[in-house]
Amino acid sequence: METLRQQGFSAALQNQALILGVLKRYQITPAHPEFDDYYQESLLTYVAAYCQYQRSHQHISQANYIYTKVRQRVIDLLRQRDCYTRHFGADRARE
């Protein structure tokens, strides 16, 4: 029997279009130097949101719930990166 987390990973891998769509919305394409990092964070966020949705049975659709969680996480990462870049400069942000 699969655990809930395993089901979440299976669902995320089957629904990569949702993750890639969120990343594309913020101009994070495979050509982006940090695409892999953003993709992995989005994948883990998808799994966490999937598990949370299954436990709580929200009153919105599962796709909308997960999309919103992944989108919010990407926005948080972009803001964090922007703040770090402004504080330390562009050279230190890539280290």
Side-chain angles (χ1 to χ4, degrees), residues 30-43:
H32 192 281
E34 296 174 6
F35 174 79
D36 292 334
D37 295 331
Y38 284 107
Y39 180 81
Q40 287 296 321
E41 283 286 336
S42 298
L43 182 70

Side-chain angles (χ1 to χ4, degrees), residues 1-2 4 8 13 15 37 39 44 58 61 64 68 71 88-89 91:
M1 184 174 145
E2 282 189 334
L4 189 56
L13 294 175
N15 198 9
D37 295 331
Y39 180 81
L44 294 173
Q58 300 290 327
S61 76
N64 286 344
T68 301
R71 183 173 155 260
F88 292 110
D91 295 334

Side-chain angles (χ1 to χ4, degrees), residues 69-84:
K69 290 290 188 178
V70 172
R71 183 173 155 260
Q72 289 171 346
R73 178 65 180 145
V74 170
I75 290 170
D76 288 345
L77 291 170
L78 290 170
R79 286 181 182 159
Q80 180 182 17
R81 178 54 135 202
D82 182 55
C83 181
Y84 189 87

Side-chain angles (χ1 to χ4, degrees), residues 11-52:
L13 294 175
Q14 291 174 0
N15 198 9
Q16 290 184 34
L18 184 141
I19 294 170
L20 295 173
V22 171
L23 295 176
K24 183 179 177 184
R25 179 178 177 159
Y26 295 101
Q27 291 80 40
I28 302 171
T29 62
H32 192 281
E34 296 174 6
F35 174 79
D36 292 334
D37 295 331
Y38 284 107
Y39 180 81
Q40 287 296 321
E41 283 286 336
S42 298
L43 182 70
L44 294 173
T45 303
Y46 186 107
V47 173
Y50 178 90
C51 294
Q52 191 174 16

